[in-house]
Amino acid sequence: MKSIRTMILVTNDPISVERGAQDVFQMFQTEIRKADLYDEIKLSTISDVGEREDLPLVIIYPEAVIYSQITTEEVPVLFDEHIINGRIVRSLLSKMHEPVGEIAWLRARLGALPAQQRVVLGRVGQVDPESLADFLTQDGYAALEKALFEMTPEQVIDEVQKSGLQGRGGAGFPTGRKWDFVRSAHAQPKYVICNADESEPGTFKDRLIIEGDPFSLIEAITIAGYAVGAETGYIYIRGEYNLGFERLQNAIRQAEEQGLLGNHILGKDFNFHIHLHAGAGAYICGEETALIESLEGKRGQPRARPPYPPSYGLWGKPTLVNNVETLANTPHIIRNGGEWYHQFGSEKSRGTKIYTILGNVNFTGVIEVPFGITLREMIEIYGKGMEKGARLKLVQTGGSSGSIVPASLQDTPMDFESWRSTGASLGSGAMLICDEHTCVVDLAKVLLDFFRFECCAKCTPCRVGTQRCYEIVDSISKGLGSPDMIDELKILGADMELLSNCGLGQTASVAVRDILKHFKDEVEQHIFEHKCAAGVCQFIQKTPFEQNLLSAQAGAEIESEEVVP
Amino acid sequence: MCPGIATDHEYSEQELDRIIQEAVEANGSVRDAVIPILSEINQKLGFIPVESLGKIRRYINTPEAGLFLADSHLYAVASFYQMFSLTPTGKHVVRYCASAPCHVEGGRQVIEALQEQLGLQPGETSHDNQWTLLKTSCLGVCGVGPVFLVDQDIYGNVTPEKIPHILAKYR
């Protein structure tokens, strides 16, 4: 890997593919084979380069030169001139942007943002996700080796506890403690489950890890298995992630072939097997007990808790369930030690966090930064500012079950405690940044529609509550609202939070609660004045004043009709 | 694990038997194989015929080993997950993302345009069995929202103007 001198990227988004990008890719492959430059040139694909007219692009590194509208005929010329002779083919250069801007734009796209600290995503984009050999050259499996040869399972757990790592799935439970619970449970056998059912809207951090660095996840699950005393691991990946499924399947197969999974791993007395299980489309299966039910081949409906999975999980046995990002942190902690991890983040939220930035900003995508940066910094530095002419109104954090943070709170440091103290939650790390054109009533409607659709229907407070909340917000958005609806929403929300069986029902009303807390005026405007400041809602009913006027006119007409005969 | 791939709805009894048998053999006759088995049938036929549930049960039921399944257990599973369909779908299945990130980035107009151009409401299949329109939750490609899927192909940064061109490819 180290000797690679040139990297060629060919876009493979649907538009490029339609215009023959795959043939271009194959043509490059042929050229590389002909020139016998396998060891020096790396050919790869790049998706998601944004909205452009001049696709497909061919991007060549390290010069960061972009050629546009490349067809198979141009490949041999490009290859001979640029790769062999080192001369840029000016006639094929992309014309859309100035060269300088182009490179800046591209760097941003490829993730070289200022001051990003990539720990978990460190290898993503640098390592061949389909090659174990490549992974091994980049410290791959060093952590498992260290754990197996130099540490007892208890020491592994100690190290994770010392690091202060907290679960990245949303709840933020201390990972080391969870591992300890499973280890100290008496029943046998034990299981490790990696929760890769990433369905929180706006979140795709786990997909990036799975697709970009699948071996690190396999390594992490193996370490977790060693630490808690399990011999079987499961990865529950959501059914929509086809590429991730294939990459993990390939990673498991290669690891098995090399003796890094199976019996007597690395010659030690430790057996571990990983099974890959694809979901079939259900948001609720991200909840750990619903996931376990689904793994057992049932409807994905959450169990009553307690007992919690560390004592009663898969097949009723002690089970460790961790999110992909949480697990992906652990090999780094084992390799470098728990103390090392303290350099990232704040006192009580250690480490880095992967966020997905979405919405009305100039850059949307994934970043990994230490805990403690503020929303303002995130928007200005990593999101490259708001879109032209847009002003920040609110941020919807942590996916649908997260909270709504008004612009006034954008200087709160983003870590678990600071946000908890403002009543917000970081959740899964999705940051949906909304400008003034977003109507809070409309947003609440979309979120509630999502919840009533995804509700598993097991418990009444959630099944009825999500539907009723939706109906109320829907009528407010249509101008059919009445003043008592605000109170009804508050009462319903409190009931759902208190009485629902699982996190879905408990958090379904959070968005509405936050909206009523921070944007009550706007909701009242919808009810009393039938006015939508953002201009999104379409009212089907007139305001009381207009109604009176209409009925007065109608009354006058009736009277006049009566007079006629 | 793939959602409804377009297929003909006509299949013979023997063919269904063969598909079920293969799926059971590949995934094992254990309780936790139920979802993979159903996935495989859904993938091959585009939907899960209700009569297949009884056949699956007969293959994997082993009461002596403590595994007892009724048809209703299987129906409960098959009807729970969004990627399974118990009714035949159209030749092409369009799934649009109805989640908040796509909505904020202009998803509402896209959904309205899709409904208008296909002449379908979410959950409906066209009379000529060409199209099925379904709502899906987040597809994890929010960076390029709004997004929809036609069969297995994802389209991002969609605007109402682009929809006719995209749909034309499948007509």
Side-chain angles (χ1 to χ4, degrees):
Chain A
M1 256 326 263
K2 300 253 156 58
S3 61
I4 294 281
R5 69 172 168 98
T6 299
M7 180 141 170
I8 306 174
L9 299 168
V10 182
T11 52
N12 71 341
D13 54 289
I15 300 169
S16 299
V17 171
E18 190 194 331
R19 297 185 188 160
Q22 274 168 346
D23 298 333
V24 171
F25 187 89
Q26 273 160 16
M27 197 76 182
F28 268 114
Q29 239 169 3
T30 320
E31 290 289 335
I32 294 170
R33 198 180 314 130
K34 261 199 279 179
D36 197 19
L37 286 172
Y38 272 131
D39 301 335
E40 293 180 43
I41 298 173
K42 185 158 171 63
L43 181 64
S44 189
T45 54
I46 177 172
S47 55
D48 183 19
V49 286
E51 181 80 348
R52 295 175 67 103
E53 293 304 316
D54 55 352
L55 297 168
L57 304 183
V58 171
I59 304 163
I60 300 178
Y61 269 82
E63 303 93 322
V65 173
I66 300 176
Y67 295 109
S68 61
Q69 285 176 312
I70 299 300
T71 59
T72 43
E73 286 108 67
E74 277 126 20
V75 173
V77 183
L78 202 60
F79 194 84
D80 286 346
E81 275 298 289
H82 190 122
I83 308 289
I84 309 290
N85 300 328
R87 285 194 292 260
I88 289 175
V89 188
R90 300 229 162 258
S91 59
L92 296 174
L93 278 180
S94 164
K95 295 180 191 68
M96 286 262 296
H97 300 262
E98 288 300 309
V100 179
E102 185 85 284
I103 289 168
W105 162 82
L106 187 75
R107 288 219 175 104
R109 271 291 175 203
L110 292 178
L113 288 165
Q116 259 203 69
Q117 272 168 319
R118 291 196 156 199
V119 176
V120 178
L121 297 178
R123 273 187 291 251
V124 172
Q126 320 267 327
V127 73
D128 182 350
E130 295 185 349
S131 155
L132 176 60
D134 198 17
F135 179 70
L136 290 174
T137 62
Q138 300 191 32
D139 292 328
Y141 278 104
L144 180 68
E145 203 181 317
K146 186 175 170 189
L148 286 184
F149 287 89
E150 296 168 27
M151 298 163 89
T152 63
E154 287 80 9
Q155 283 171 326
V156 172
I157 294 177
D158 274 350
E159 212 59 56
V160 175
Q161 273 188 327
K162 217 189 293 167
S163 73
L165 176 66
Q166 285 165 288
R168 300 288 197 257
F173 190 82
T175 307
R177 264 178 61 203
K178 207 189 237 184
W179 287 27
D180 193 36
F181 287 155
V182 181
R183 168 125 206 116
S184 47
H186 290 297
Q188 290 287 349
K190 295 169 183 176
Y191 298 102
V192 175
I193 298 176
C194 169
N195 182 349
D197 188 62
E198 181 179 55
S199 355
E200 196 63 81
T203 313
F204 45 98
K205 60 185 178 72
D206 296 347
R207 177 170 67 91
L208 214 68
I209 298 170
I210 292 166
E211 289 177 5
D213 195 7
F215 289 99
S216 76
L217 191 60
I218 304 289
E219 183 188 6
I221 298 167
T222 315
I223 292 170
Y226 174 70
V228 303
E231 292 199 347
T232 312
Y234 287 90
I235 303 175
Y236 187 101
I237 184 168
R238 68 181 294 203
E240 288 88 345
Y241 283 0
N242 291 330
L243 179 62
F245 186 90
E246 283 161 24
R247 293 246 158 109
L248 283 172
Q249 212 172 22
N250 170 58
I252 291 170
R253 206 196 60 237
Q254 289 194 24
E256 279 169 351
E257 282 167 7
Q258 296 299 318
L260 293 161
L261 274 179
N263 293 337
H264 304 291
I265 292 171
L266 294 172
K268 299 291 273 190
D269 190 20
F270 170 55
N271 308 334
F272 196 71
H273 301 268
I274 296 180
H275 303 286
L276 188 56
H277 185 101
Y283 168 76
I284 189 60
C285 287
E287 201 276 344
E288 54 181 5
T289 57
L291 187 150
I292 289 170
E293 288 280 299
S294 179
L295 256 184
E296 291 181 359
K298 302 175 190 158
R299 284 165 82 91
Q301 290 179 318
R303 296 172 177 172
R305 303 187 305 169
Y308 292 93
S311 51
Y312 188 92
L314 187 63
W315 314 116
K317 301 295 180 193
T319 305
L320 174 75
V321 187
N322 271 152
N323 171 265
V324 171
E325 189 189 348
T326 317
L327 282 168
N329 269 289
T330 54
H332 300 280
I333 292 169
I334 299 304
R335 208 172 66 235
N336 301 306
E339 294 286 334
W340 165 86
Y341 200 65
H342 291 185
Q343 62 176 297
F344 308 107
S346 63
E347 183 68 28
K348 285 197 177 140
S349 301
R350 301 290 192 192
T352 58
K353 175 85 193 86
I354 309 178
Y355 297 101
T356 39
I357 311 180
L358 307 159
N360 309 113
V361 283
N362 288 320
F363 168 80
T364 55
V366 177
I367 61 161
E368 180 179 348
V369 288
F371 279 109
I373 72 159
T374 63
L375 257 184
R376 189 189 298 276
E377 284 166 344
M378 176 174 288
I379 294 166
E380 291 308 322
I381 301 173
Y382 304 103
K384 309 247 174 237
M386 296 294 291
E387 279 171 359
K388 204 167 166 227
R391 251 187 58 209
L392 179 67
K393 178 173 182 179
L394 59 93
V395 180
Q396 212 252 327
T397 69
S400 287
S401 59
S403 28
I404 305 243
V405 178
S408 57
L409 288 176
Q410 60 174 313
D411 288 314
T412 319
M414 295 168 76
D415 55 47
F416 288 115
E417 324 74 63
S418 310
W419 274 46
R420 231 170 257 154
S421 68
T422 64
S425 75
L426 280 178
S428 62
M431 296 288 147
L432 178 59
I433 291 149
C434 303
D435 67 2
E436 300 273 312
H437 296 293
T438 309
C439 167
V440 290
V441 175
D442 184 59
L443 184 63
K445 193 168 122 181
V446 172
L447 295 173
L448 287 167
D449 192 24
F450 172 79
F451 282 120
R452 71 174 184 146
F453 183 69
E454 295 289 353
C455 170
C456 81
K458 181 176 179 173
C459 73
T460 313
C462 174
R463 183 180 62 240
V464 179
T466 48
Q467 175 66 23
R468 184 66 195 129
C469 281
Y470 173 79
E471 286 165 7
I472 295 173
V473 174
D474 186 45
S475 30
I476 294 176
S477 78
K478 286 177 177 155
L480 302 167
S482 63
D484 54 345
M485 281 183 172
I486 290 183
D487 286 333
E488 202 184 336
L489 276 177
K490 278 184 185 162
I491 295 166
L492 258 176
D495 286 352
M496 283 160 69
E497 207 169 326
L498 191 70
L499 301 172
S500 294
N501 180 39
C502 82
L504 189 147
Q506 288 158 12
T507 55
S509 60
V510 168
V512 177
R513 186 194 68 198
D514 288 349
I515 284 169
L516 291 177
K517 187 166 148 197
H518 301 296
F519 299 96
K520 199 175 171 193
D521 296 348
E522 208 180 315
V523 180
E524 285 177 343
Q525 230 177 24
H526 278 76
I527 296 176
F528 297 111
E529 299 168 39
H530 292 192
K531 215 175 106 191
C532 177
V536 176
C537 297
Q538 285 160 353
F539 300 105
I540 56 169
Q541 197 180 328
K542 307 273 185 264
T543 60
F545 175 72
E546 287 169 324
Q547 262 170 10
N548 285 341
L549 199 71
L550 279 176
S551 54
Q553 282 170 347
E557 276 168 28
I558 291 166
E559 268 173 34
S560 63
E561 271 170 27
E562 279 170 2
V563 170
V564 172
Chain B
M1 41 157 232
C2 311
I5 290 174
T7 44
D8 296 329
H9 299 135
E10 282 150 34
Y11 53 87
S12 62
E13 188 82 20
Q14 289 85 356
E15 210 180 326
L16 183 63
D17 272 337
R18 182 180 53 77
I19 289 171
I20 294 171
Q21 212 171 345
E22 277 172 13
V24 173
E25 266 165 32
N27 296 290
S29 42
V30 283
R31 174 93 208 221
D32 51 337
V34 167
I35 292 173
I37 290 169
L38 291 173
S39 287
E40 213 164 307
I41 295 167
N42 193 70
Q43 198 179 340
K44 291 202 171 127
L45 291 176
F47 76 113
I48 302 171
V50 177
E51 68 262 30
S52 68
L53 299 177
K55 294 178 196 285
I56 299 171
R57 169 178 53 77
R58 280 193 284 281
Y59 275 118
I60 67 177
N61 236 4
T62 40
E64 60 277 13
L67 180 66
F68 176 76
L69 283 172
D71 287 8
S72 60
H73 287 133
L74 291 167
Y75 186 82
V77 174
S79 59
F80 184 82
Y81 295 94
Q82 287 152 27
M83 286 166 89
F84 298 154
S85 175
L86 288 163
T87 48
T89 50
K91 193 167 169 218
H92 300 293
V93 183
V94 180
R95 290 157 200 268
Y96 66 85
C97 171
S99 299
C102 283
H103 183 82
V104 167
E105 286 159 17
R108 200 165 46 109
Q109 289 85 335
V110 169
I111 294 168
E112 279 165 11
L114 265 178
Q115 290 180 352
E116 194 193 310
Q117 292 184 24
L118 292 173
L120 297 172
Q121 290 298 308
E124 288 181 350
T125 300
S126 63
H127 292 302
D128 59 356
N129 282 327
Q130 283 295 303
W131 300 96
T132 298
L133 182 65
L134 293 173
K135 184 163 96 172
T136 173
S137 50
C138 185
L139 297 164
V141 282
C142 323
V144 291
V147 174
F148 68 81
L149 265 173
V150 183
D151 302 334
Q152 295 294 293
D153 310 328
I154 294 185
Y155 293 92
N157 290 321
V158 184
T159 55
E161 296 78 50
K162 284 188 194 164
I163 292 174
H165 304 290
I166 295 171
L167 294 183
K169 281 190 253 176
Y170 298 88
R171 285 193 201 270

